[in-house]
C-alpha cells in the first residue's frame, strides 16, 4: 500500500503575512509526517496553497502523477474559495477534506486575536466545504483532532477506497468464454464499465488457454503443487493426484495469460471448456488467494469487484472471495444462508486448513475436478454486488454475520460459508431482491460498508445499503427516488 502516495495540502492566503504562513507550512509538514508514519499509504506534504495558481498547479501535477492516489486538503486558516475553483474543476483524483486543527484545546490564558487568526479551521473549512458542495465535488469529509484514532481510521479507510479507485481505473479483466447462456444479471455494458470504472474487459480464446495448459510440464506443476503441502491437507487417493496436478497446470497457464495481458481478474464458464480436462476449481481458488479477481459463468463485474476489494484491503487480516447465495435453512427466527459455489471460493476466508479433494461434478461435462474444501471463518462481513441497471451501475452492500455452519454436511464437496443477514432474513432478502442484487457477490471480512461506499462515490456509482437500520418502506422509497434522480442526471 505504501507505493500509493497521498498529497497533503494546507489552505491559506497571503493576507496573514509571512510569520503565519511559515507556521502553517511547518505544521503541515509535521502533520504529513505523522500521517505518513501512521497510515497504510504514503503521505507527502505538497505545501501551503496561497493563490489560485498554487492550487491549479497542484491539481494539474496530481492528475498527471501516477503515484498520486488522492489529495487530502485542510484549511489551516481561511482560504477564500473562489481561489480554488479553477483547480478543483479539473481535479481527476479522489479528494478528502480533513476538518481538523493543529491544537486540540483552546489555550485558556493565552488565546488572543493572533491565535484566532492562525487557528481558524472551523471558519476556513466551512468556506472550503461550500465550494466543494457548490461544485458538486465528490469527496470524503473526515472530522476530528488529527492524532485521534477516529481521524486516522477515517483517513485510512478512505485511502483504501482511493486505492480501489486507482486499481479500478487500471484494471484489465480477461474473459475465457462468454456469459452463461441466457443469464441476465451477469451481463452488462462493457463500454459503460470502461468509461465509468476504467475496466478493460476483453476475451481470450479458450482454445489458446487449452494450448497454454498443455504446454505446462509435469515438473513445473509438481513443484508448485508440492509447495502447498504445508498449506493444504492433501485428501487425495493415489489416482486423484493427477487431477490436482492438472488444476495446477491450469493455475500456471491462466496466470501466464493474465501476466501477458497485464490483467488482474478473469472469468470462465463451464459451458465453454474447449480442450480442457477439468473446470478450473483449485486453479481459480489458488489464483484468488494470490489476489486475482474471479467471476464464474462469465461474470466479469464480480471478477473485477473481487480484484478491487482485494486490492483495497491488502495487508488486512480477514479475507475476500467470490461467493454465491445457494440455499437456506429456514428455521423461523434464526434463518441462515448457505453460500458456496460449484468450486470457486477463495481460501483466504477459510476457518481451518483447506482440504484438496476430488469429486465428480454433475455440470460441465468434464473429468472430476480437484478443489479446496473448507468452512468460512465466523465473523462480521459484507456482501457486495454490482449490477447494471441500464444507464447506470448500482452497488448493493449488505452486512452479514458469518457463523460456524450448524451442520457438518459431509457429502457437500465444496467450500461453504453460512451467515445470518442484517437486520433479519426477511427484510434483508426482500431488500436484496428488490434492489436487483445478483446471486454472485464479493464477500469480504476486511472491507467495510463505508470503504465500499466511498469507493462508489469516487467512481460515481449508486450505492444501496442493507444493514441493521434497514426498514423496507424507506428502502423501497429510496430505490424509487434514486431511479428518478439518475434519470435526471
Ligand atoms: Mn454461479
Amino acid at each position: 500500500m505504501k507505493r500509493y502516495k497521498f498529497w497533503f495540502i494546507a489552505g491559506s492566503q497571503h493576507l496573514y503575512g509571512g510569520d503565519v504562513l511559515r507556521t502553517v507550512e511547518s505544521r503541515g509538514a509535521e502533520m504529513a509526517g505523522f500521517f505518513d508514519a501512521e497510515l497504510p499509504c504514503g503521505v507527502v506534504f505538497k505545501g501551503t496553497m496561497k493563490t489560485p495558481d498554487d492550487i491549479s498547479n497542484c491539481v494539474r501535477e496530481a492528475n498527471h502523477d501516477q503515484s498520486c492516489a488522492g489529495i487530502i486538503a485542510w484549511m489551516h486558516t481561511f482560504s477564500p474559495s473562489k481561489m480554488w475553483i479553477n483547480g478543483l474543476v479539473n481535479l481527476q483524483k479522489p479528494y478528502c477534506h480533513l476538518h481538523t486543527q493543529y491544537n486540540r484545546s483552546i489555550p485558556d490564558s493565552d488565546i488572543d486575536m493572533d491565535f484566532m487568526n492562525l487557528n481558524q479551521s472551523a471558519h476556513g473549512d466551512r468556506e472550503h466545504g461550500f465550494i466543494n458542495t457548490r461544485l458538486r465535488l465528490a469527496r470524503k469529509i473526515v472530522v476530528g483532532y488529527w492524532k485521534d484514532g477516529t481521524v486516522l481510521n477515517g483517513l485510512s479507510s478512505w485511502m483504501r477506497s482511493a486505492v480501489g479507485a486507482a486499481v479500478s481505473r487500471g484494471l484489465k479483466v480477461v474473459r475465457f468464454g462468454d456469459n452463461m447462456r441466457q443469464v441476465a444479471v451477469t451481463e452488462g455494458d462493457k463500454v459503460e464499465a470502461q468509461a465509468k470504472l476504467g475496466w478493460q474487459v476483453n476475451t481470450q480464446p479458450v482454445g489458446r488457454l487449452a494450448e497454454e495448459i498443455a504446454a505446462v510440464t509435469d515438473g513445473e506443476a509438481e513443484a508448485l503443487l508440492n509447495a502447498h503441502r504445508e498449506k493444504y491437507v492433501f485428501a487425495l487417493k493415489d489416482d486423484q493426484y493427477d487431477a490436482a496436478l492438472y488444476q495446477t497446470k491450469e493455475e500456471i497457464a491462466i496466470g501466464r495469460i493474465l501476466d501477458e495481458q497485464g490483467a488482474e481478474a478473469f472469468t470462465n464458464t463451464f459451458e465453454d471448456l474447449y480442450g480442457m480436462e477439468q473446470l478450473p476449481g483449485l486453479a481459480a481458488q489458488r489464483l484468488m488467494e494470490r489476489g486475482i479477481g474471479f467471476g464464474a459463468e462469465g461474470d466479469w463485474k464480480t471478477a473485477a469487484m473481487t480484484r478491487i476489494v482485494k486490492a483495497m484491503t491488502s495487508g488486512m487480516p480477514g479475507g475476500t472471495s467470490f461467493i454465491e447465495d445457494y440455499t437456506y435453512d429456514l428455521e423461523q427466527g434464526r434463518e441462515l444462508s448457505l453460500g458456496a459455489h460449484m468450486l470457486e471460493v477463495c481460501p483466504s476466508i477459510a476457518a481451518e486448513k483447506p482440504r484438496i479433494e476430488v469429486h465428480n461434478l454433475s455440470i460441465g461435462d468434464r473429468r472430476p475436478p480437484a478443489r479446496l474444501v473448507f468452512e468460512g471463518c465466523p465473523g462480521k462481513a459484507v456482501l457486495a454486488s454490482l449490477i447494471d441497471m441500464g444507464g447506470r451501475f448500482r452497488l448493493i452492500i449488505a452486512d452479514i454475520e458469518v457463523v460456524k455452519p450448524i451442520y457438518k454436511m459431509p457429502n457437500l464437496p465444496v467450500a461453504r460459508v453460512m451467515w445470518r443477514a442484517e437486520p433479519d432474513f426477511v427484510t434483508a432478502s426482500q431488500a436484496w431482491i428488490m434492489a436487483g442484487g445478483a446471486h454472485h457477490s464479493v464477500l469480504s471480512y476486511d472491507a467495510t460498508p463505508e470503504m465500499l461506499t466511498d469507493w462508489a462515490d469516487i467512481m460515481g456509482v449508486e450505492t444501496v445499503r442493507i444493514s441493521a437500520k434497514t426498514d423496507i418502506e424507506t428502502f423501497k422509497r429510496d430505490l424509487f427516488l434514486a431511479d428518478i434522480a439518475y434519470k435526471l442526471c
Side-chain angles (χ1 to χ4, degrees):
M1 298 299 271
K2 279 285 179 195
R3 69 198 163 89
Y4 293 99
K5 304 293 180 202
F6 287 81
W7 291 11
F8 183 58
I9 55 176
S12 191
Q13 60 176 323
H14 279 295
L15 178 73
Y16 303 105
D19 285 350
V20 164
L21 290 175
R22 273 187 290 279
T23 305
V24 170
E25 185 80 7
S26 71
R27 288 176 173 182
E30 180 192 344
M31 290 163 75
F34 175 76
F35 292 145
D36 187 55
E38 296 293 325
L39 296 171
C41 303
V43 178
V44 184
F45 185 54
K46 283 286 173 177
T48 310
M49 302 294 121
K50 302 177 284 282
T51 67
D53 282 350
D54 285 349
I55 297 151
S56 294
N57 289 337
C58 176
V59 168
R60 196 177 297 118
E61 279 175 43
N63 286 345
H64 287 271
D65 187 328
Q66 288 206 325
S67 71
C68 174
I71 296 180
I72 302 166
W74 164 55
M75 304 303 115
H76 192 309
T77 68
F78 195 82
S79 182
S81 279
K82 283 164 74 176
M83 296 199 321
W84 289 75
I85 295 172
N86 295 51
L88 290 178
V89 292
N90 292 316
L91 180 66
Q92 295 165 356
K93 293 289 168 96
Y95 198 67
C96 176
H97 183 182
L98 174 61
H99 182 48
T100 189
Q101 62 187 18
Y102 183 76
N103 54 303
R104 184 193 287 275
S105 309
I106 293 170
D108 187 6
S109 55
D110 292 339
I111 187 166
D112 56 14
M113 278 321 288
D114 285 345
F115 182 91
M116 296 279 268
N117 282 331
L118 177 61
N119 300 287
Q120 51 173 315
S121 305
H123 177 192
D125 274 333
R126 281 174 166 72
E127 168 75 356
H128 196 63
F130 166 74
I131 204 63
N132 291 339
T133 297
R134 176 67 179 79
L135 296 175
R136 274 72 176 172
L137 185 75
R139 84 280 192 189
K140 177 75 176 177
I141 303 167
V142 174
V143 179
Y145 181 60
W146 54 289
K147 288 182 178 171
D148 282 349
T150 48
V151 166
L152 294 174
N153 289 340
L155 289 173
S156 170
S157 171
W158 172 78
M159 281 178 165
R160 290 183 175 280
S161 309
V163 166
V167 169
S168 181
R169 286 170 178 155
L171 184 62
K172 293 179 183 168
V173 184
V174 166
R175 304 175 72 217
F176 297 110
D178 203 335
N179 193 58
M180 182 179 164
R181 282 187 280 277
Q182 307 287 14
V183 175
V185 77
T186 50
E187 289 282 8
D189 183 341
K190 296 196 282 293
V191 174
E192 180 69 11
Q194 189 165 347
K196 194 94 190 163
L197 304 167
W199 304 350
Q200 299 177 50
V201 184
N202 288 296
T203 186
Q204 286 292 316
V206 178
R208 211 211 121 189
L209 174 57
E211 284 171 12
E212 200 73 50
I213 294 166
V216 178
T217 65
D218 285 354
E220 284 175 288
E222 270 165 26
L224 182 57
L225 181 58
N226 291 333
H228 303 152
R229 291 271 174 196
E230 295 292 304
K231 206 168 182 181
Y232 312 128
V233 177
F234 280 54
L236 300 167
K237 298 186 187 98
D238 287 346
D239 61 346
Q240 292 177 330
Y241 181 80
D242 280 355
L245 199 64
Y246 186 78
Q247 287 283 338
T248 308
K249 290 182 179 180
E250 290 183 321
E251 175 190 342
I252 293 169
I254 294 168
R256 280 184 183 152
I257 294 176
L258 296 181
D259 284 347
E260 169 205 283
Q261 297 296 316
E264 295 175 313
F266 76 103
T267 71
N268 60 10
T269 169
F270 65 87
E271 287 178 337
D272 189 354
L273 296 174
Y274 173 84
M276 296 165 68
E277 292 177 17
Q278 298 174 31
L279 174 66
L282 174 63
Q285 292 175 298
R286 285 277 313 140
L287 285 158
M288 268 192 277
E289 193 176 27
R290 288 160 49 185
I292 298 294
F294 172 77
E297 291 97 49
D299 186 350
W300 51 271
K301 295 195 298 299
T302 310
M305 287 308 301
T306 304
R307 169 59 200 147
I308 290 165
V309 176
K310 279 178 176 286
M312 278 186 200
T313 57
S314 173
M316 294 179 79
T320 296
S321 180
F322 168 77
I323 199 78
E324 177 166 275
D325 291 83
Y326 242 104
T327 196
Y328 295 131
D329 197 55
L330 291 178
E331 190 64 42
Q332 203 166 24
R334 67 122 185 84
E335 293 92 342
L336 295 166
S337 296
L338 183 65
H341 204 260
M342 62 175 91
L343 299 172
E344 314 91 333
V345 180
C346 178
S348 67
I349 67 168
E352 79 277 28
K353 197 188 257 197
R355 296 162 56 84
I356 304 181
E357 298 180 17
V358 175
H359 301 277
N360 195 33
L361 186 68
S362 52
I363 296 174
D365 186 29
R366 287 295 185 276
R367 287 177 50 195
R371 79 288 305 269
L372 292 166
V373 180
F374 54 87
E375 286 181 358
C377 215
K380 288 200 181 303
V382 291
L383 295 175
S385 170
L386 188 81
I387 59 164
D388 186 336
M389 288 291 291
R392 75 178 189 277
F393 292 103
R394 167 181 285 167
L395 183 67
I396 299 142
I397 305 161
D399 292 359
I400 59 168
E401 172 94 36
V402 179
V403 300
K404 181 169 172 52
I406 60 168
Y407 303 115
K408 291 240 181 286
M409 301 176 280
N411 292 312
L412 182 67
V414 292
R416 71 291 302 270
V417 186
M418 198 170 251
W419 65 78
R420 193 178 52 73
E422 295 283 3
D424 59 77
F425 172 76
V426 174
T427 308
S429 303
Q430 274 183 333
W432 186 275
I433 288 168
M434 197 182 286
H439 50 277
H440 286 170
S441 55
V442 182
L443 184 156
S444 180
Y445 293 87
D446 295 320
T448 61
E450 180 186 12
M451 207 185 282
L452 295 169
T453 304
D454 289 342
W455 173 82
D457 285 350
I458 295 166
M459 307 312 295
V461 167
E462 178 193 6
T463 49
V464 166
R465 195 58 216 292
I466 304 170
S467 70
K469 291 181 194 157
T470 297
D471 154 76
I472 210 71
E473 290 310 315
T474 312
F475 189 85
K476 191 173 174 182
R477 189 198 60 204
D478 288 349
L479 290 182
F480 173 74
L481 294 175
D483 246 358
I484 296 170
Y486 278 89
K487 274 173 195 152
L488 294 174
C489 283

PDB file of all heavy atoms in Angstrom, residues 231-246:
ATOM      1  N   LYS A 231       0.355 -26.013   3.455  1.00  0.00           N
ATOM      2  CA  LYS A 231      -0.766 -25.072   3.452  1.00  0.00           C
ATOM      3  C   LYS A 231      -2.130 -25.760   3.396  1.00  0.00           C
ATOM      4  O   LYS A 231      -3.097 -25.274   3.984  1.00  0.00           O
ATOM      5  CB  LYS A 231      -0.585 -24.199   2.193  1.00  0.00           C
ATOM      6  CG  LYS A 231      -1.210 -22.854   2.306  1.00  0.00           C
ATOM      7  CD  LYS A 231      -0.725 -21.969   1.169  1.00  0.00           C
ATOM      8  CE  LYS A 231      -1.331 -20.599   1.336  1.00  0.00           C
ATOM      9  NZ  LYS A 231      -0.932 -19.704   0.273  1.00  0.00           N
ATOM     10  N   TYR A 232      -2.194 -26.851   2.663  1.00  0.00           N
ATOM     11  CA  TYR A 232      -3.462 -27.559   2.482  1.00  0.00           C
ATOM     12  C   TYR A 232      -3.302 -29.025   2.899  1.00  0.00           C
ATOM     13  O   TYR A 232      -2.220 -29.583   2.829  1.00  0.00           O
ATOM     14  CB  TYR A 232      -3.895 -27.540   1.002  1.00  0.00           C
ATOM     15  CG  TYR A 232      -3.834 -26.190   0.348  1.00  0.00           C
ATOM     16  CD1 TYR A 232      -3.151 -26.019  -0.865  1.00  0.00           C
ATOM     17  CD2 TYR A 232      -4.463 -25.075   0.912  1.00  0.00           C
ATOM     18  CE1 TYR A 232      -3.095 -24.778  -1.483  1.00  0.00           C
ATOM     19  CE2 TYR A 232      -4.406 -23.830   0.297  1.00  0.00           C
ATOM     20  CZ  TYR A 232      -3.716 -23.690  -0.899  1.00  0.00           C
ATOM     21  OH  TYR A 232      -3.651 -22.471  -1.509  1.00  0.00           O
ATOM     22  N   VAL A 233      -4.434 -29.637   3.276  1.00  0.00           N
ATOM     23  CA  VAL A 233      -4.448 -31.080   3.518  1.00  0.00           C
ATOM     24  C   VAL A 233      -4.673 -31.766   2.164  1.00  0.00           C
ATOM     25  O   VAL A 233      -5.646 -31.457   1.477  1.00  0.00           O
ATOM     26  CB  VAL A 233      -5.596 -31.454   4.491  1.00  0.00           C
ATOM     27  CG1 VAL A 233      -5.659 -32.960   4.687  1.00  0.00           C
ATOM     28  CG2 VAL A 233      -5.444 -30.712   5.817  1.00  0.00           C
ATOM     29  N   PHE A 234      -3.778 -32.648   1.792  1.00  0.00           N
ATOM     30  CA  PHE A 234      -3.925 -33.361   0.519  1.00  0.00           C
ATOM     31  C   PHE A 234      -4.807 -34.593   0.744  1.00  0.00           C
ATOM     32  O   PHE A 234      -4.306 -35.682   1.000  1.00  0.00           O
ATOM     33  CB  PHE A 234      -2.562 -33.762  -0.033  1.00  0.00           C
ATOM     34  CG  PHE A 234      -1.835 -32.648  -0.735  1.00  0.00           C
ATOM     35  CD1 PHE A 234      -1.609 -31.429  -0.100  1.00  0.00           C
ATOM     36  CD2 PHE A 234      -1.381 -32.804  -2.046  1.00  0.00           C
ATOM     37  CE1 PHE A 234      -0.949 -30.397  -0.742  1.00  0.00           C
ATOM     38  CE2 PHE A 234      -0.717 -31.770  -2.704  1.00  0.00           C
ATOM     39  CZ  PHE A 234      -0.495 -30.563  -2.045  1.00  0.00           C
ATOM     40  N   ALA A 235      -6.109 -34.411   0.672  1.00  0.00           N
ATOM     41  CA  ALA A 235      -7.044 -35.522   0.914  1.00  0.00           C
ATOM     42  C   ALA A 235      -7.310 -36.241  -0.413  1.00  0.00           C
ATOM     43  O   ALA A 235      -8.436 -36.277  -0.904  1.00  0.00           O
ATOM     44  CB  ALA A 235      -8.336 -34.986   1.531  1.00  0.00           C
ATOM     45  N   LEU A 236      -6.235 -36.765  -0.986  1.00  0.00           N
ATOM     46  CA  LEU A 236      -6.318 -37.340  -2.332  1.00  0.00           C
ATOM     47  C   LEU A 236      -5.995 -38.826  -2.299  1.00  0.00           C
ATOM     48  O   LEU A 236      -5.019 -39.236  -1.660  1.00  0.00           O
ATOM     49  CB  LEU A 236      -5.313 -36.644  -3.261  1.00  0.00           C
ATOM     50  CG  LEU A 236      -5.505 -35.133  -3.445  1.00  0.00           C
ATOM     51  CD1 LEU A 236      -4.275 -34.529  -4.115  1.00  0.00           C
ATOM     52  CD2 LEU A 236      -6.753 -34.861  -4.278  1.00  0.00           C
ATOM     53  N   LYS A 237      -6.814 -39.630  -3.002  1.00  0.00           N
ATOM     54  CA  LYS A 237      -6.457 -41.028  -3.203  1.00  0.00           C
ATOM     55  C   LYS A 237      -5.347 -41.065  -4.269  1.00  0.00           C
ATOM     56  O   LYS A 237      -5.163 -40.094  -5.002  1.00  0.00           O
ATOM     57  CB  LYS A 237      -7.675 -41.819  -3.688  1.00  0.00           C
ATOM     58  CG  LYS A 237      -8.810 -41.809  -2.671  1.00  0.00           C
ATOM     59  CD  LYS A 237      -9.960 -42.727  -3.135  1.00  0.00           C
ATOM     60  CE  LYS A 237     -11.155 -42.578  -2.225  1.00  0.00           C
ATOM     61  NZ  LYS A 237     -12.184 -41.663  -2.763  1.00  0.00           N
ATOM     62  N   ASP A 238      -4.644 -42.176  -4.361  1.00  0.00           N
ATOM     63  CA  ASP A 238      -3.496 -42.268  -5.280  1.00  0.00           C
ATOM     64  C   ASP A 238      -3.845 -41.843  -6.694  1.00  0.00           C
ATOM     65  O   ASP A 238      -3.079 -41.157  -7.360  1.00  0.00           O
ATOM     66  CB  ASP A 238      -2.940 -43.707  -5.305  1.00  0.00           C
ATOM     67  CG  ASP A 238      -2.196 -44.014  -4.005  1.00  0.00           C
ATOM     68  OD1 ASP A 238      -1.904 -43.044  -3.261  1.00  0.00           O
ATOM     69  OD2 ASP A 238      -1.938 -45.200  -3.744  1.00  0.00           O
ATOM     70  N   ASP A 239      -5.024 -42.283  -7.147  1.00  0.00           N
ATOM     71  CA  ASP A 239      -5.379 -41.990  -8.540  1.00  0.00           C
ATOM     72  C   ASP A 239      -5.982 -40.575  -8.707  1.00  0.00           C
ATOM     73  O   ASP A 239      -6.432 -40.216  -9.777  1.00  0.00           O
ATOM     74  CB  ASP A 239      -6.355 -43.049  -9.076  1.00  0.00           C
ATOM     75  CG  ASP A 239      -7.652 -43.087  -8.277  1.00  0.00           C
ATOM     76  OD1 ASP A 239      -7.686 -42.500  -7.165  1.00  0.00           O
ATOM     77  OD2 ASP A 239      -8.621 -43.700  -8.763  1.00  0.00           O
ATOM     78  N   GLN A 240      -6.007 -39.786  -7.614  1.00  0.00           N
ATOM     79  CA  GLN A 240      -6.582 -38.439  -7.711  1.00  0.00           C
ATOM     80  C   GLN A 240      -5.516 -37.337  -7.770  1.00  0.00           C
ATOM     81  O   GLN A 240      -5.836 -36.176  -8.019  1.00  0.00           O
ATOM     82  CB  GLN A 240      -7.520 -38.185  -6.515  1.00  0.00           C
ATOM     83  CG  GLN A 240      -8.775 -39.048  -6.578  1.00  0.00           C
ATOM     84  CD  GLN A 240      -9.654 -38.852  -5.355  1.00  0.00           C
ATOM     85  OE1 GLN A 240      -9.166 -38.554  -4.269  1.00  0.00           O
ATOM     86  NE2 GLN A 240     -10.954 -39.027  -5.542  1.00  0.00           N
ATOM     87  N   TYR A 241      -4.264 -37.710  -7.533  1.00  0.00           N
ATOM     88  CA  TYR A 241      -3.195 -36.705  -7.530  1.00  0.00           C
ATOM     89  C   TYR A 241      -3.112 -36.018  -8.888  1.00  0.00           C
ATOM     90  O   TYR A 241      -2.899 -34.801  -8.970  1.00  0.00           O
ATOM     91  CB  TYR A 241      -1.862 -37.374  -7.159  1.00  0.00           C
ATOM     92  CG  TYR A 241      -0.704 -36.417  -7.104  1.00  0.00           C
ATOM     93  CD1 TYR A 241      -0.481 -35.599  -5.990  1.00  0.00           C
ATOM     94  CD2 TYR A 241       0.183 -36.316  -8.180  1.00  0.00           C
ATOM     95  CE1 TYR A 241       0.582 -34.712  -5.948  1.00  0.00           C
ATOM     96  CE2 TYR A 241       1.250 -35.431  -8.140  1.00  0.00           C
ATOM     97  CZ  TYR A 241       1.450 -34.630  -7.025  1.00  0.00           C
ATOM     98  OH  TYR A 241       2.500 -33.758  -6.996  1.00  0.00           O
ATOM     99  N   ASP A 242      -3.317 -36.802  -9.949  1.00  0.00           N
ATOM    100  CA  ASP A 242      -3.230 -36.241 -11.307  1.00  0.00           C
ATOM    101  C   ASP A 242      -4.257 -35.128 -11.539  1.00  0.00           C
ATOM    102  O   ASP A 242      -4.004 -34.196 -12.291  1.00  0.00           O
ATOM    103  CB  ASP A 242      -3.426 -37.334 -12.362  1.00  0.00           C
ATOM    104  CG  ASP A 242      -2.140 -38.122 -12.573  1.00  0.00           C
ATOM    105  OD1 ASP A 242      -1.109 -37.729 -11.968  1.00  0.00           O
ATOM    106  OD2 ASP A 242      -2.177 -39.122 -13.321  1.00  0.00           O
ATOM    107  N   ALA A 243      -5.434 -35.270 -10.894  1.00  0.00           N
ATOM    108  CA  ALA A 243      -6.467 -34.234 -11.058  1.00  0.00           C
ATOM    109  C   ALA A 243      -5.982 -32.915 -10.445  1.00  0.00           C
ATOM    110  O   ALA A 243      -6.177 -31.837 -11.022  1.00  0.00           O
ATOM    111  CB  ALA A 243      -7.776 -34.677 -10.402  1.00  0.00           C
ATOM    112  N   ALA A 244      -5.325 -33.004  -9.275  1.00  0.00           N
ATOM    113  CA  ALA A 244      -4.774 -31.798  -8.641  1.00  0.00           C
ATOM    114  C   ALA A 244      -3.632 -31.231  -9.470  1.00  0.00           C
ATOM    115  O   ALA A 244      -3.468 -30.014  -9.590  1.00  0.00           O
ATOM    116  CB  ALA A 244      -4.309 -32.126  -7.227  1.00  0.00           C
ATOM    117  N   LEU A 245      -2.869 -32.137 -10.076  1.00  0.00           N
ATOM    118  CA  LEU A 245      -1.755 -31.697 -10.924  1.00  0.00           C
ATOM    119  C   LEU A 245      -2.289 -30.949 -12.155  1.00  0.00           C
ATOM    120  O   LEU A 245      -1.741 -29.916 -12.551  1.00  0.00           O
ATOM    121  CB  LEU A 245      -0.940 -32.922 -11.359  1.00  0.00           C
ATOM    122  CG  LEU A 245       0.478 -32.643 -11.854  1.00  0.00           C
ATOM    123  CD1 LEU A 245       1.334 -32.055 -10.733  1.00  0.00           C
ATOM    124  CD2 LEU A 245       1.119 -33.929 -12.386  1.00  0.00           C
ATOM    125  N   TYR A 246      -3.361 -31.467 -12.711  1.00  0.00           N
ATOM    126  CA  TYR A 246      -3.947 -30.796 -13.875  1.00  0.00           C
ATOM    127  C   TYR A 246      -4.471 -29.398 -13.498  1.00  0.00           C
ATOM    128  O   TYR A 246      -4.292 -28.434 -14.231  1.00  0.00           O
ATOM    129  CB  TYR A 246      -5.075 -31.639 -14.483  1.00  0.00           C
ATOM    130  CG  TYR A 246      -5.595 -31.030 -15.774  1.00  0.00           C
ATOM    131  CD1 TYR A 246      -4.884 -31.174 -16.972  1.00  0.00           C
ATOM    132  CD2 TYR A 246      -6.759 -30.268 -15.779  1.00  0.00           C
ATOM    133  CE1 TYR A 246      -5.325 -30.585 -18.140  1.00  0.00           C
ATOM    134  CE2 TYR A 246      -7.215 -29.669 -16.950  1.00  0.00           C
ATOM    135  CZ  TYR A 246      -6.498 -29.837 -18.118  1.00  0.00           C
ATOM    136  OH  TYR A 246      -6.927 -29.239 -19.282  1.00  0.00           O
TER     137      TYR A 246
END
